[in-house]
Amino acid sequence: MEPAEIIIKTYLQIRDALTEKLIKQRYQPVHEQHDDPLFFSRYMIWSNNEEALRLTWDGKEQWFALEVTQDLPLKALSPWSTIIIVPFETNNKTSVYAEGIVHRIITSLD
């Protein structure tokens, strides 16, 4: 599997697990963007109308981040506070490694 495929697969696993968890907490997906052909950077935002959470894959820095803001409605310069940042080694192709990343991010909301 190529690094880009590993990144996208892991991002989708995190995104889907977060969506499942957050819907149970009355959050809804509000925006997703993934149009970076060079670094494959992408993000997804969920909101419950009191706060918003954002999952980001920063391809240049090579990490996943989960952040929160209460600055609603969202604006381009809304301040985000970090919940967790997890570096990701794209050359580590084991599913156990990727599952560990997913688990760390999901449990950061507990």
Side-chain angles (χ1 to χ4, degrees):
M1 194 178 305
E2 293 295 315
E5 293 172 312
I6 294 167
I7 292 164
I8 293 168
K9 181 178 179 185
T10 304
Y11 170 85
L12 293 173
Q13 288 175 321
I14 298 167
R15 182 200 69 188
D16 293 349
L18 280 172
T19 298
E20 183 178 326
K21 182 173 188 152
L22 292 173
I23 284 176
K24 292 175 184 173
Q25 298 174 7
R26 298 200 169 122
Y27 286 81
Q28 294 297 316
V30 293
H31 184 71
E32 184 171 25
Q33 186 165 334
H34 49 82
D35 57 5
D36 177 358
L38 183 59
F39 296 111
F40 307 102
S41 295
R42 52 198 57 228
Y43 68 90
M44 174 118 181
I45 298 172
W46 299 262
S47 179
N48 65 359
N49 294 323
E50 294 175 18
E51 66 180 12
L53 293 168
R54 176 173 68 183
L55 169 68
T56 302
W57 162 251
D58 186 319
K60 187 174 181 186
E61 299 299 327
Q62 301 277 298
W63 45 249
F64 288 100
L66 186 61
E67 302 165 297
V68 63
T69 187
Q70 285 82 33
D71 188 28
L72 299 179
L74 291 173
K75 299 172 256 336
L77 296 176
S78 290
W80 292 87
S81 299
T82 301
I83 296 171
I84 189 170
I85 293 177
V86 182
F88 188 73
E89 299 172 20
T90 57
N91 59 351
N92 191 332
K93 299 180 180 182
T94 68
S95 60
V96 171
Y97 176 73
E99 289 168 11
I101 299 292
V102 173
H103 180 75
R104 284 181 63 195
I105 293 172
I106 300 305
T107 59
S108 71
L109 291 175
D110 291 344

